[in-house]
């Protein structure tokens, strides 16, 4: 039969999982539970819960093998999606990515020179930084590699396509774009801007780029010589000139 | 034959940041038990749900690993990300009434059938269902201290609070759990 000590006993029992009760407290619980089935059941339930916690082993919660397998599959998919995203044309990506990627000084792929290393004046023919041959049937990925020795403010980068070259993108904002200009700041270090173009005519055409900062205009071109089967890609530097 | 030298956690993180999924999976293997234990408690002991929750949370962490600057240990960085991801998932499912905590709701209503001779695993499932009714802070403390048996110092570091804050928190969490056990004592008799 319950008595008016139930509230006090329940309070003591609430501490059963939290701390060791004193001998006096245990005696009070014993005396009360002997005449109160309700509190006795509470005590038995708490003892059972405490035993369950004590018998539980940390390794009982080890990550199941099927979760690891499922995670493995999802990570592979995630990585593939990232790689696919990286191959998408620059102008087909969110503007945020576009601006972030453009925030750097630049050189073309394989042309690992810093702007400060460029001569102030070069021949009109330009200096060949690299040359490669690619399949004309596939869209062509251009990777602008931007390297700056220090953060640079107020940089303007312009990319202009000759006729017969288009940006390869599903984004209607950029599909028919012939020229793109970005203005912003550069961070120190090396960065890449990949974008994808399609060469729709044979012959030699050019992607013209300029970057303006520190009172100079830096010019780099990508010459594309297409014969229908292959495209010879030549990266050229024209150095820098005072603006 | 020379034994292979395992990568340090720092090296694994660096590799994972470069997109190495195997390195990330190794990090999950190292920390997975604590994480899964927390997910189990949050899911009220339902292993299928806990697996789904943890998988989504880990993917979330993988996507955001670039934000890890190495100023703390990887587990300290990972824990709040997972806690928040798990919590968001629970809020969504509860709001949509697709509640994965059906067992817990039933417990709260006192409508779960009490079968004679419940095996230990079933009772433990009931206990976890009650734990899932507690606040996330309480679950976190119980998971690390009582389920994973971590030292207070390590658990406090993982959660990101001082040991002096964790001690009263675990005390109160155990009290609240005890109150729930007494309220639903039939499940444990």
């Amino acid at each position: 039969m319950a008595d008016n000590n139930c509230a006090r006993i329940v309070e003591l029992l609430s501490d059963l999982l939290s701390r060791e009760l004193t001998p006096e407290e245990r005696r009070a619980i014993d005396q009360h539970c002997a005449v109160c089935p309700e509190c006795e059941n509470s005590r038995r339930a708490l003892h059972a819960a405490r035993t369950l916690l004590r018998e539980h082993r940390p390794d009982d919660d080890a990550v199941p093998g099927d979760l690891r397998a499922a995670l493995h599959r999802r990570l592979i998919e995630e990585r593939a999606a990232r790689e696919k995203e990286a191959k998408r044309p620059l102008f087909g990506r969110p503007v945020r990515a576009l601006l972030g990627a453009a925030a750097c000084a630049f050189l073309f792929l394989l042309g690992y020179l810093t702007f400060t290393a460029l001569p102030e004046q070069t021949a009109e023919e330009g200096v060949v930084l690299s040359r490669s041959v690619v399949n004309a049937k596939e869209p062509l990925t251009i990777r602008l590699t931007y390297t700056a020795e220090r953060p640079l403010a107020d940089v303007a980068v312009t990319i202009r396509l000759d006729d017969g070259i288009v940006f390869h993108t599903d984004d209607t904002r950029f599909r028919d774009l012939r020229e793109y200009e970005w203005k912003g700041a550069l961070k120190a270090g090396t960065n890449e801007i990949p974008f994808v173009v399609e060469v729709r005519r044979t012959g030699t055409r050019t992607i013209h780029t300029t970057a303006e900062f520190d009172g100079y205009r830096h010019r780099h071109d990508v010459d594309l010589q297409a014969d229908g089967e292959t495209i010879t890609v030549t990266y050229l530097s024209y150095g820098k000139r005072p603006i | 034959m020379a034994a292979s030298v395992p990568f340090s956690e720092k090296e694994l993180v660096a590799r994972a940041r470069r997109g190495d999924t195997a390195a990330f999976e190794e990090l999950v293997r190292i920390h997975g038990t604590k994480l899964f234990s927390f997910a189990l408690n949050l899911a009220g002991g339902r292993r299928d749900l806990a697996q789904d929750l943890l998988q989504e949370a880990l993917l979330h962490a993988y996507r955001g690993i670039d934000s890890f600057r190495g100023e703390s240990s990887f587990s300290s960085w990972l824990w709040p990300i997972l806690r928040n991801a798990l919590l968001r998932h629970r809020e969504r499912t509860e709001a949509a009434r697709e509640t994965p905590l059906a067992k817990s709701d039933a417990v709260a209503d006192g409508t779960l059938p009490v079968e004679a001779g419940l095996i230990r695993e079933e009772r433990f499932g009931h206990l976890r269902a009650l734990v899932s009714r507690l606040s996330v802070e309480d679950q976190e403390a119980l998971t690390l201290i009582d389920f994973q048996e971590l030292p207070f110092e390590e658990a406090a570091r993982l959660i990101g609070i001082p040991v002096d804050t964790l001690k009263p928190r675990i005390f109160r969490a155990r009290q609240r759990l005890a109150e729930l056990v007494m309220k639903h004592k039939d499940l444990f008799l």
Side-chain angles (χ1 to χ4, degrees):
Chain A
M1 180 69 69
D3 61 29
N4 55 10
N5 282 331
C6 281
R8 164 67 182 148
I9 297 304
V10 166
E11 195 176 321
L12 286 176
L13 288 173
S14 296
D15 286 354
L16 206 59
L17 300 181
S18 309
R19 64 179 177 91
E20 287 296 321
L21 301 181
T22 66
E24 293 73 24
E25 289 170 331
R26 284 201 298 272
R27 201 159 34 246
I29 291 173
D30 287 343
Q31 289 172 354
H32 176 81
C33 288
V35 295
C36 179
E38 192 70 10
C39 288
E40 171 59 12
N41 282 342
S42 290
R43 179 168 70 166
R44 285 173 53 208
L46 283 167
H47 277 300
R50 190 170 61 179
T51 302
L52 286 168
L53 279 174
R54 286 179 176 173
E55 289 178 351
H56 180 72
R57 293 286 169 265
D59 287 346
D60 292 346
D61 292 338
V63 178
D66 48 352
L67 169 57
R68 290 203 303 272
L71 179 66
H72 176 73
R73 284 194 300 274
R74 292 288 300 273
L75 288 173
I76 295 298
E77 290 169 5
E78 185 78 17
R79 188 176 62 186
R82 279 188 186 185
E83 289 170 355
K84 187 177 178 183
E85 173 70 15
K87 290 176 182 173
R88 285 180 61 201
L90 173 65
F91 301 116
R93 297 183 199 175
V95 173
R96 177 169 52 85
L98 183 70
L99 297 180
C104 43
F106 83 102
L107 282 177
F108 286 111
L109 179 68
L110 304 180
Y112 284 89
L113 299 174
T114 62
F115 279 112
T116 52
L118 290 176
E120 184 163 335
Q121 180 67 56
T122 58
E124 288 299 317
E125 298 296 321
V127 175
V128 174
L129 297 176
S130 71
R131 180 174 284 128
S132 58
V133 179
V134 299
N135 186 347
K137 307 296 182 190
E138 299 289 333
L140 175 62
T141 300
I142 305 292
R143 295 182 187 278
L144 304 180
T145 300
Y146 292 82
T147 305
E149 290 183 340
R150 56 184 172 79
L152 296 164
D154 301 323
V155 175
V157 176
T158 302
I159 301 172
R160 181 168 57 82
L161 306 182
D162 274 356
D163 286 340
I165 305 172
V166 296
F167 289 114
H168 176 77
T169 175
D170 293 326
D171 192 323
T172 54
R173 290 175 302 165
F174 300 110
R175 191 178 296 154
D176 300 318
L177 207 60
R178 308 301 313 153
E179 185 171 307
Y180 178 77
E181 183 181 38
W182 173 86
K183 291 182 178 178
L186 308 182
K187 65 179 181 182
T190 301
N191 296 270
E192 268 190 359
I193 292 183
F195 63 94
V196 185
V197 296
E198 293 175 34
V199 180
R200 293 185 168 173
R201 297 180 197 165
T202 56
T204 299
R205 303 176 194 287
T206 301
I207 300 170
H208 310 267
T209 75
T210 58
E212 296 180 0
F213 57 88
D214 274 358
Y216 286 93
R217 177 178 295 114
H218 304 256
R219 178 184 163 198
H220 293 80
D221 283 354
V222 186
D223 283 351
L224 305 174
Q225 189 176 4
D227 62 11
E229 294 297 322
T230 61
I231 302 172
T232 301
V233 184
T234 305
Y235 294 85
L236 297 153
S237 169
Y238 291 84
K240 62 184 180 182
R241 295 169 187 267
I243 297 174
Chain B
M1 182 181 293
S4 61
V5 179
F7 288 114
S8 69
E9 185 167 297
K10 190 175 178 182
E11 289 169 322
L12 289 170
V13 170
R15 284 171 168 263
R17 289 186 66 181
R18 293 197 297 268
D20 184 341
T21 55
F24 187 80
E25 287 175 71
E26 178 62 11
L27 288 166
V28 171
R29 190 192 65 75
I30 294 170
H31 301 286
T33 302
K34 292 192 288 286
L35 304 172
F36 189 56
S37 186
F38 186 31
L40 272 170
N41 281 340
L42 204 67
R46 292 178 53 187
R47 294 180 74 83
D48 55 343
L49 176 63
Q51 289 192 31
D52 290 345
L53 290 177
L54 184 55
Q55 183 179 313
E56 288 307 312
L58 287 170
L59 281 171
H60 191 80
Y62 177 73
R63 289 170 188 143
I65 197 166
D66 280 345
S67 66
F68 178 59
R69 299 289 174 225
E71 292 162 355
S72 61
S73 72
F74 178 70
S75 55
S76 297
W77 172 80
L78 186 65
W79 189 264
I81 290 177
L82 293 174
R83 177 181 55 204
N84 292 338
L86 294 172
L87 193 57
R88 280 196 301 273
H89 185 96
R90 189 173 79 166
E91 286 168 353
R92 281 200 305 273
T93 51
E94 283 182 341
R97 276 294 174 200
E98 297 169 357
T99 175
L101 306 176
K103 178 179 281 187
S104 301
D105 287 345
V107 168
D109 295 340
T111 55
L112 267 188
V114 180
E115 300 172 17
L118 284 173
I119 61 173
R120 176 184 168 280
E121 283 74 17
E122 287 174 326
R123 280 185 165 186
F124 199 75
H126 292 319
L127 188 64
R128 278 201 136 126
L130 293 180
V131 171
S132 75
R133 307 301 299 176
L134 301 172
S135 70
V136 170
E137 287 76 18
D138 284 352
Q139 290 180 46
E140 202 169 39
L142 287 168
T143 296
L144 297 176
I145 300 295
D146 287 345
F147 287 77
Q148 288 301 310
E149 299 176 0
L150 295 189
F152 272 93
E153 290 72 17
E154 187 178 347
R157 181 180 53 75
L158 207 55
I159 299 173
I161 57 175
V163 172
D164 289 346
T165 304
L166 178 59
K167 284 182 175 174
R169 182 178 292 181
I170 187 68
F171 186 88
R172 282 297 300 151
R174 288 167 177 161
Q175 280 185 324
R176 293 186 185 105
L177 179 60
E179 288 162 6
L180 281 174
V181 169
M182 284 193 283
K183 187 176 177 183
H184 304 286
K185 52 182 164 293
D186 287 351
L187 297 170
F188 300 94
L189 297 177

